[in-house]
Coordinates of all heavy atoms in Angstrom, one line a residue:
G12 N 108.9 84.6 105.6 CA 108.0 83.6 105.3 C 107.8 83.6 103.8 O 108.3 84.3 103.0
K13 N 106.7 82.9 103.5 CA 106.2 83.0 102.0 C 104.7 83.2 102.0 O 104.0 82.8 103.0 CB 106.4 81.4 101.4 CG 107.9 81.1 101.1 CD 108.1 80.2 100.0 CE 109.5 79.9 99.8 NZ 110.2 81.0 99.2
V14 N 104.2 83.7 100.9 CA 102.8 84.0 100.7 C 102.1 82.7 100.5 O 102.5 81.9 99.6 CB 102.6 85.0 99.5 CG1 101.1 85.1 99.2 CG2 103.2 86.3 99.7
R15 N 101.1 82.4 101.3 CA 100.3 81.1 101.0 C 99.2 81.4 100.1 O 98.8 80.5 99.3 CB 99.8 80.6 102.4 CG 101.0 80.1 103.3 CD 100.5 79.5 104.5 NE 101.6 78.7 105.1 CZ 101.5 77.5 105.7 NH1 100.2 77.0 105.7 NH2 102.5 76.9 106.2
A16 N 98.6 82.5 100.2 CA 97.5 82.9 99.4 C 97.4 84.5 99.3 O 97.8 85.2 100.1 CB 96.1 82.2 100.1
Y17 N 96.6 84.9 98.3 CA 96.2 86.3 98.1 C 94.7 86.4 97.7 O 94.3 85.7 96.8 CB 97.1 86.9 97.0 CG 96.8 88.3 96.5 CD1 97.0 89.3 97.5 CD2 96.2 88.5 95.3 CE1 96.6 90.6 97.1 CE2 95.7 89.8 94.9 CZ 96.0 90.9 95.9 OH 95.7 92.1 95.6
D18 N 94.2 87.3 98.5 CA 92.7 87.6 98.2 C 92.6 88.9 97.5 O 92.8 89.9 98.2 CB 91.9 87.5 99.7 CG 90.4 87.8 99.4 OD1 90.0 88.4 98.5 OD2 89.8 87.3 100.4
A19 N 92.3 89.0 96.2 CA 92.2 90.1 95.6 C 91.2 91.1 95.9 O 91.3 92.2 95.9 CB 92.2 89.9 93.9
R20 N 90.1 90.4 96.3 CA 88.9 91.3 96.7 C 89.3 92.1 98.0 O 88.9 93.3 98.1 CB 87.8 90.3 96.9 CG 86.4 91.2 97.1 CD 85.2 90.2 97.2 NE 85.4 89.1 98.1 CZ 85.0 89.3 99.3 NH1 84.6 90.3 99.9 NH2 85.1 88.2 100.1
R21 N 89.8 91.4 98.9 CA 90.2 92.1 100.2 C 91.5 92.8 100.1 O 91.9 93.5 101.1 CB 90.2 91.1 101.3 CG 88.7 90.7 101.7 CD 88.7 89.7 102.8 NE 87.4 89.3 103.1 CZ 87.0 88.8 104.3 NH1 87.9 88.5 105.2 NH2 85.8 88.5 104.5
R22 N 92.4 92.5 99.2 CA 93.7 93.0 99.0 C 94.6 92.4 100.3 O 95.2 93.4 101.0 CB 93.8 94.5 98.8 CG 93.1 94.7 97.5 CD 93.2 96.3 97.2 NE 94.7 96.5 96.8 CZ 95.0 97.3 95.8 NH1 94.1 97.8 95.1 NH2 96.2 97.4 95.5
E23 N 94.5 91.2 100.6 CA 95.2 90.7 101.7 C 96.0 89.4 101.3 O 95.6 88.6 100.4 CB 94.2 90.2 102.8 CG 93.4 91.3 103.6 CD 92.5 90.6 104.5 OE1 92.0 89.5 104.4 OE2 92.3 91.4 105.5
M24 N 97.2 89.3 102.0 CA 98.0 88.1 101.7 C 98.0 87.3 103.0 O 97.7 87.8 104.2 CB 99.4 88.4 101.4 CG 100.2 89.1 102.4 SD 102.0 89.3 101.8 CE 102.5 90.5 103.1
T25 N 98.0 86.0 102.8 CA 98.1 85.1 103.9 C 99.6 84.5 104.0 O 100.0 84.0 103.0 CB 97.0 84.0 103.8 OG1 95.8 84.6 103.8 CG2 97.1 83.0 105.1
L26 N 100.1 84.5 105.2 CA 101.4 83.9 105.3 C 101.6 83.4 106.8 O 100.9 83.7 107.6 CB 102.6 85.1 105.0 CG 102.7 86.1 105.9 CD1 104.1 86.4 106.1 CD2 102.0 87.2 105.3
R27 N 102.5 82.3 106.8 CA 103.0 81.8 108.1 C 104.3 82.4 108.5 O 105.3 82.5 107.7 CB 103.1 80.2 107.9 CG 103.5 79.6 109.2 CD 103.5 78.1 109.0 NE 103.6 77.5 110.3 CZ 102.8 76.9 111.1 NH1 101.6 77.0 110.9 NH2 103.0 76.4 112.4
L28 N 104.2 83.1 109.8 CA 105.5 83.8 110.2 C 106.5 83.0 110.7 O 106.4 81.9 111.3 CB 104.9 84.7 111.4 CG 103.9 85.8 111.2 CD1 103.5 86.7 112.3 CD2 104.3 86.7 110.0
E29 N 107.7 83.3 110.2 CA 108.9 82.7 110.6 C 109.6 83.6 111.9 O 110.6 83.2 112.4 CB 109.9 82.7 109.5 CG 109.4 81.6 108.6 CD 110.4 81.4 107.3 OE1 111.4 82.0 107.3 OE2 109.8 80.7 106.3
E30 N 109.2 84.8 112.0 CA 109.5 85.6 113.1 C 108.4 86.6 113.5 O 107.5 86.7 112.7 CB 110.7 86.4 112.7 CG 110.7 87.4 111.7 CD 112.0 88.2 111.6 OE1 112.8 87.6 110.8 OE2 112.1 89.2 112.1
P31 N 108.4 87.0 114.7 CA 107.3 88.0 115.2 C 107.1 89.1 114.2 O 108.0 89.7 113.6 CB 107.6 88.4 116.4 CG 108.6 87.4 117.0 CD 109.3 87.0 115.7
L32 N 105.8 89.7 114.1 CA 105.4 90.8 113.1 C 104.5 91.6 113.8 O 103.5 91.1 114.5 CB 104.9 90.2 111.8 CG 104.7 91.3 110.8 CD1 106.0 91.7 110.2 CD2 103.9 90.6 109.6
S33 N 104.6 92.9 113.9 CA 103.6 93.8 114.5 C 103.2 94.9 113.4 O 103.9 95.2 112.5 CB 104.5 94.6 115.6 OG 104.9 93.6 116.6
A34 N 102.0 95.5 113.8 CA 101.6 96.6 113.0 C 102.6 97.7 113.1 O 103.2 98.0 114.1 CB 100.3 97.0 113.5
G35 N 102.9 98.4 111.9 CA 104.0 99.4 111.9 C 105.3 98.8 111.3 O 106.1 99.7 111.0
D36 N 105.4 97.5 111.4 CA 106.7 96.9 110.9 C 106.8 97.1 109.4 O 105.7 97.1 108.7 CB 106.8 95.5 111.2 CG 107.2 95.1 112.5 OD1 107.7 96.1 113.3 OD2 107.1 93.9 113.1
A37 N 107.8 97.0 108.7 CA 108.0 97.0 107.3 C 108.3 95.7 106.8 O 109.0 94.9 107.3 CB 109.0 98.0 106.9
V38 N 107.6 95.3 105.6 CA 107.8 94.1 104.9 C 108.2 94.2 103.5 O 107.7 95.3 102.9 CB 106.8 93.0 105.0 CG1 106.6 92.8 106.4 CG2 105.4 93.7 104.4
R39 N 108.9 93.4 102.8 CA 109.2 93.4 101.5 C 108.7 92.0 100.9 O 109.0 91.0 101.5 CB 110.6 93.6 101.1 CG 110.9 93.6 99.6 CD 112.3 93.8 99.4 NE 112.5 93.9 97.9 CZ 113.7 93.9 97.3 NH1 114.8 93.8 98.1 NH2 113.7 94.0 95.8
V40 N 107.9 92.0 99.8 CA 107.3 90.8 99.2 C 108.2 90.7 97.9 O 108.0 91.6 97.1 CB 105.8 91.0 99.0 CG1 105.4 89.6 98.4 CG2 105.1 91.2 100.4
K41 N 108.8 89.7 97.6 CA 109.7 89.5 96.4 C 109.3 88.3 95.7 O 109.4 87.2 96.5 CB 111.2 89.7 96.9 CG 112.1 89.5 95.7 CD 112.3 91.0 94.9 CE 113.3 90.9 94.0 NZ 112.8 91.1 92.7
G42 N 109.1 88.2 94.5 CA 108.9 87.1 93.6 C 109.3 87.4 92.3 O 109.8 88.5 91.9
R43 N 109.0 86.3 91.3 CA 109.5 86.5 89.9 C 108.7 87.8 89.3 O 109.4 88.5 88.6 CB 108.9 85.3 89.1 CG 109.3 85.1 87.8 CD 109.2 83.8 87.1 NE 107.7 83.5 87.0 CZ 106.9 84.0 86.1 NH1 107.4 84.5 85.1 NH2 105.7 83.6 86.1
D44 N 107.6 88.1 89.7 CA 106.7 89.3 89.1 C 106.4 90.2 90.1 O 105.6 91.1 89.9 CB 105.5 88.7 88.4 CG 105.7 87.8 87.2 OD1 106.7 88.1 86.3 OD2 105.0 86.8 87.2
T45 N 106.9 90.0 91.2 CA 106.5 90.9 92.5 C 107.8 91.6 93.1 O 108.7 90.9 93.4 CB 105.7 90.1 93.5 OG1 104.7 89.3 92.9 CG2 105.2 91.0 94.7
D46 N 107.6 92.8 93.6 CA 108.6 93.5 94.2 C 107.9 94.6 95.0 O 107.7 95.7 94.4 CB 109.8 93.9 93.6 CG 111.0 94.4 94.4 OD1 110.8 94.5 95.6 OD2 112.0 94.7 93.7
L47 N 107.4 94.4 96.2 CA 106.5 95.3 96.9 C 107.2 95.6 98.3 O 107.4 94.6 99.0 CB 105.2 94.7 97.1 CG 104.2 95.5 98.0 CD1 103.8 96.8 97.3 CD2 103.0 94.7 98.2
S48 N 107.4 96.9 98.7 CA 107.8 97.2 100.0 C 106.7 98.1 100.7 O 106.3 99.0 100.1 CB 109.1 97.9 100.1 OG 110.1 97.0 99.5
Q49 N 106.3 97.8 101.9 CA 105.3 98.5 102.5 C 105.5 98.2 104.1 O 105.9 97.3 104.6 CB 103.9 98.2 102.0 CG 103.4 96.9 102.4 CD 102.0 96.7 102.1 OE1 101.6 96.9 101.0 NE2 101.2 96.3 103.2
R50 N 104.7 99.3 104.8 CA 104.4 99.1 106.3 C 103.2 98.2 106.6 O 102.3 98.2 105.6 CB 104.4 100.3 106.9 CG 105.6 101.2 107.0 CD 105.6 102.0 108.3 NE 106.8 102.7 108.2 CZ 108.0 102.4 108.6 NH1 108.1 101.1 109.2 NH2 109.1 103.0 108.6
V51 N 103.2 97.4 107.5 CA 102.1 96.6 107.9 C 101.0 97.5 108.6 O 101.4 98.1 109.6 CB 102.5 95.5 108.9 CG1 101.2 94.7 109.4 CG2 103.4 94.5 108.2
E52 N 100.0 97.7 107.9 CA 99.0 98.6 108.5 C 97.9 97.9 109.3 O 97.3 98.2 110.3 CB 98.4 99.4 107.5 CG 99.3 100.6 107.0 CD 98.8 101.4 105.9 OE1 97.5 101.4 105.7 OE2 99.6 102.1 105.2
R53 N 97.4 96.7 108.8 CA 96.4 95.9 109.2 C 97.0 94.4 109.3 O 97.3 93.9 108.3 CB 95.1 96.0 108.5 CG 94.0 95.6 109.4 CD 92.7 95.8 108.7 NE 92.3 94.6 107.9 CZ 91.7 94.8 106.8 NH1 91.3 96.0 106.3 NH2 91.4 93.8 106.1
L54 N 96.8 93.8 110.4 CA 97.4 92.4 110.7 C 96.2 91.7 111.4 O 95.6 92.1 112.3 CB 98.5 92.5 111.6 CG 99.3 91.3 112.0 CD1 100.1 90.6 110.8 CD2 100.3 91.7 113.0
S55 N 95.8 90.4 110.9 CA 94.8 89.6 111.4 C 95.2 88.2 111.7 O 95.9 87.6 110.8 CB 93.6 89.6 110.4 OG 93.1 91.0 110.1
V56 N 94.8 87.7 112.7 CA 94.9 86.3 113.1 C 93.5 85.7 113.2 O 92.7 86.2 114.0 CB 95.8 86.1 114.3 CG1 95.8 84.6 114.6 CG2 97.1 86.7 114.2
G57 N 93.2 84.7 112.4 CA 91.7 84.3 112.4 C 90.8 85.4 111.9 O 91.2 86.1 111.0
K58 N 89.9 85.7 112.7 CA 89.0 86.9 112.3 C 89.3 88.1 113.2 O 88.5 89.1 113.2 CB 87.5 86.4 112.7 CG 87.1 85.2 111.7 CD 85.7 85.0 111.8 CE 85.2 83.8 111.0 NZ 85.0 84.2 109.6
R59 N 90.4 88.0 114.1 CA 90.6 89.1 114.9 C 91.8 89.9 114.3 O 92.8 89.5 113.9 CB 91.2 88.5 116.2 CG 90.1 87.8 117.0 CD 90.8 87.4 118.4 NE 92.2 87.6 118.5 CZ 93.0 86.5 118.6 NH1 92.6 85.4 118.5 NH2 94.3 86.7 118.6
C60 N 91.5 91.3 114.4 CA 92.7 92.3 114.1 C 93.5 92.2 115.3 O 93.1 92.3 116.4 CB 92.1 93.6 113.8 SG 91.5 93.9 112.1
V61 N 94.8 92.1 115.1 CA 95.7 92.2 116.2 C 96.9 93.2 116.0 O 97.1 93.7 114.9 CB 96.4 90.7 116.4 CG1 95.3 89.9 116.8 CG2 97.1 90.4 115.2
Q62 N 97.5 93.6 117.0 CA 98.6 94.5 116.8 C 100.0 93.8 116.6 O 100.9 94.4 116.0 CB 98.8 95.3 118.1 CG 97.8 96.5 118.5 CD 97.9 97.3 117.1 OE1 98.8 98.0 116.9 NE2 96.6 97.7 116.5
S63 N 100.1 92.5 117.0 CA 101.2 91.7 116.7 C 100.9 90.2 116.7 O 99.8 89.9 117.2 CB 102.4 92.0 117.7 OG 101.9 91.7 119.1
A64 N 101.8 89.5 116.1 CA 101.7 88.0 116.0 C 103.0 87.3 116.1 O 104.1 88.0 115.8 CB 101.1 87.6 114.6
M65 N 103.0 86.2 116.6 CA 104.2 85.4 117.0 C 104.7 84.5 115.9 O 103.9 84.2 115.0 CB 104.1 84.7 118.3 CG 103.6 85.5 119.5 SD 104.7 86.9 119.7 CE 106.3 86.0 120.2
C66 N 105.9 84.1 115.8 CA 106.6 83.1 115.1 C 105.6 81.8 115.0 O 105.1 81.4 116.0 CB 107.9 82.8 115.5 SG 108.7 81.5 114.7
G67 N 105.3 81.2 113.8 CA 104.6 80.2 113.6 C 103.1 80.5 113.5 O 102.4 79.5 113.0
E68 N 102.6 81.6 113.6 CA 101.2 82.0 113.5 C 100.9 82.2 111.9 O 101.8 82.6 111.2 CB 100.7 83.1 114.3 CG 100.6 82.9 115.7 CD 99.9 84.0 116.6 OE1 100.7 85.0 116.8 OE2 98.8 84.0 116.9
T69 N 99.7 81.9 111.5 CA 99.2 82.2 110.2 C 98.5 83.5 110.3 O 97.6 83.6 111.0 CB 98.4 81.1 109.6 OG1 99.3 79.9 109.6 CG2 97.9 81.5 108.1
V70 N 98.9 84.5 109.5 CA 98.3 85.8 109.6 C 98.0 86.3 108.2 O 98.3 85.8 107.2 CB 99.3 86.9 110.2 CG1 99.7 86.4 111.6 CG2 100.5 87.0 109.2
R71 N 97.0 87.3 108.2 CA 96.5 88.0 107.0 C 97.0 89.5 107.1 O 96.9 90.0 108.2 CB 95.1 87.9 106.8 CG 94.5 86.6 106.4 CD 93.1 86.5 106.0 NE 92.2 87.5 106.7 CZ 91.5 87.3 107.9 NH1 91.9 86.3 108.5 NH2 90.9 88.2 108.4
V72 N 97.6 90.0 106.1 CA 98.2 91.4 106.0 C 97.6 92.1 104.9 O 97.6 91.5 103.7 CB 99.7 91.3 106.0 CG1 100.4 92.7 105.9 CG2 100.3 90.5 107.1
S73 N 97.1 93.3 105.0 CA 96.7 94.0 103.9 C 97.8 94.5 103.0 O 98.9 94.9 103.6 CB 96.0 95.3 104.3 OG 94.8 95.0 105.2
V74 N 97.8 94.4 101.7 CA 98.8 94.8 100.9 C 98.4 95.9 99.9 O 97.2 95.8 99.5 CB 99.4 93.6 100.2 CG1 100.2 92.7 101.0 CG2 98.4 92.8 99.4
A75 N 99.3 96.7 99.4 CA 99.0 97.8 98.5 C 98.8 97.2 97.0 O 98.2 98.0 96.2 CB 100.0 98.8 98.6
D76 N 99.4 96.2 96.7 CA 99.4 95.6 95.4 C 99.3 94.1 95.3 O 99.5 93.5 96.4 CB 100.7 96.1 94.6 CG 100.6 96.2 93.1 OD1 99.5 95.8 92.5 OD2 101.6 96.6 92.5
R77 N 99.0 93.5 94.2 CA 99.0 92.1 94.1 C 100.3 91.4 94.2 O 101.3 92.0 94.0 CB 98.5 91.9 92.6 CG 98.5 90.2 92.4 CD 98.2 89.9 90.9 NE 98.2 88.5 90.9 CZ 97.6 87.7 90.0 NH1 96.7 88.3 89.3 NH2 97.8 86.4 90.0
V78 N 100.1 90.4 95.2 CA 101.2 89.4 95.5 C 100.7 88.0 94.9 O 99.6 87.7 94.7 CB 101.6 89.4 96.9 CG1 102.1 90.8 97.4 CG2 100.5 88.9 97.8
R79 N 101.7 87.1 94.9 CA 101.4 85.8 94.4 C 101.8 84.7 95.4 O 102.9 84.8 96.1 CB 102.1 85.4 93.1 CG 101.5 86.4 92.0 CD 102.6 86.6 90.9 NE 101.9 87.6 89.9 CZ 101.9 88.9 90.0 NH1 102.4 89.5 91.0 NH2 101.4 89.7 89.0
A80 N 101.0 83.6 95.5 CA 101.5 82.4 96.4 C 102.9 82.0 95.9 O 103.3 81.9 94.8 CB 100.4 81.4 96.2
G81 N 103.5 81.9 97.1 CA 105.0 81.5 96.8 C 106.1 82.5 96.9 O 107.3 82.4 97.1
D82 N 105.6 83.8 96.8 CA 106.4 84.9 96.9 C 107.1 85.0 98.3 O 106.5 84.6 99.4 CB 105.6 86.3 96.8 CG 105.3 86.6 95.2 OD1 105.8 85.8 94.4 OD2 104.6 87.5 95.1
A83 N 108.3 85.3 98.3 CA 109.0 85.4 99.7 C 108.7 86.8 100.4 O 108.4 87.7 99.8 CB 110.5 85.4 99.4
V84 N 108.5 86.7 101.7 CA 108.1 87.9 102.5 C 109.3 88.1 103.5 O 109.5 87.2 104.3 CB 106.9 87.7 103.3 CG1 106.5 88.9 104.1 CG2 105.6 87.4 102.3
Y85 N 109.9 89.3 103.5 CA 111.0 89.6 104.4 C 110.5 90.8 105.3 O 109.9 91.7 104.9 CB 112.2 90.0 103.6 CG 112.7 89.1 102.6 CD1 112.4 89.2 101.2 CD2 113.4 88.1 102.9 CE1 112.8 88.3 100.3 CE2 113.9 87.0 102.0 CZ 113.6 87.2 100.6 OH 114.0 86.4 99.7
K86 N 111.0 90.7 106.6 CA 110.8 91.9 107.5 C 112.0 92.8 107.2 O 113.2 92.3 107.0 CB 111.0 91.4 108.9 CG 110.4 92.4 110.0 CD 110.3 91.8 111.2 CE 110.0 92.6 112.5 NZ 109.9 91.9 113.6
V87 N 111.6 94.2 107.0 CA 112.7 95.1 106.7 C 113.0 96.0 107.9 O 112.1 96.5 108.5 CB 112.2 95.9 105.4 CG1 113.3 97.0 105.1 CG2 111.8 95.1 104.4
R88 N 114.3 96.1 108.1 CA 114.7 97.1 109.3 C 115.1 98.3 108.7 O 115.9 98.3 107.6 CB 115.7 96.4 110.0 CG 115.2 95.3 111.0 CD 116.3 94.4 111.4 NE 115.9 93.2 112.3 CZ 115.1 92.2 112.1 NH1 114.3 92.5 111.0 NH2 114.8 91.2 112.8
G89 N 115.0 99.4 109.2 CA 115.3 100.7 108.8 C 114.6 101.1 107.5 O 115.1 102.0 106.6
F90 N 113.4 100.8 107.3 CA 112.6 101.1 106.1 C 112.0 102.5 106.4 O 111.5 103.0 107.3 CB 111.3 100.2 106.1 CG 110.4 100.5 104.9 CD1 110.8 100.2 103.6 CD2 109.1 101.0 105.2 CE1 109.9 100.4 102.5 CE2 108.2 101.2 104.0 CZ 108.7 101.0 102.8
A91 N 112.2 103.5 105.4 CA 111.8 104.8 105.4 C 110.8 105.0 104.4 O 111.2 105.1 103.2 CB 112.9 105.8 105.3
A92 N 109.6 105.2 104.7 CA 108.6 105.5 103.6 C 107.4 106.2 104.2 O 107.1 106.1 105.4 CB 108.0 104.3 102.9

């Protein structure tokens, strides 16, 4: 998917999923000034924290560093960190 918004105060990105995502999955956020790989530790849909979300849902994910609207988000398989 793509980052729709970034909340610097909460350190969360908002994105619309193109495939299912679960807590513990690894993602990579890549953009012109961004290159971040991390595990999904907290995932929210609306005001609820969830363990997983389905394709098409808009979710908020905690991130370790700044990301920018429009950055591409990829689900990473075989991520070791």
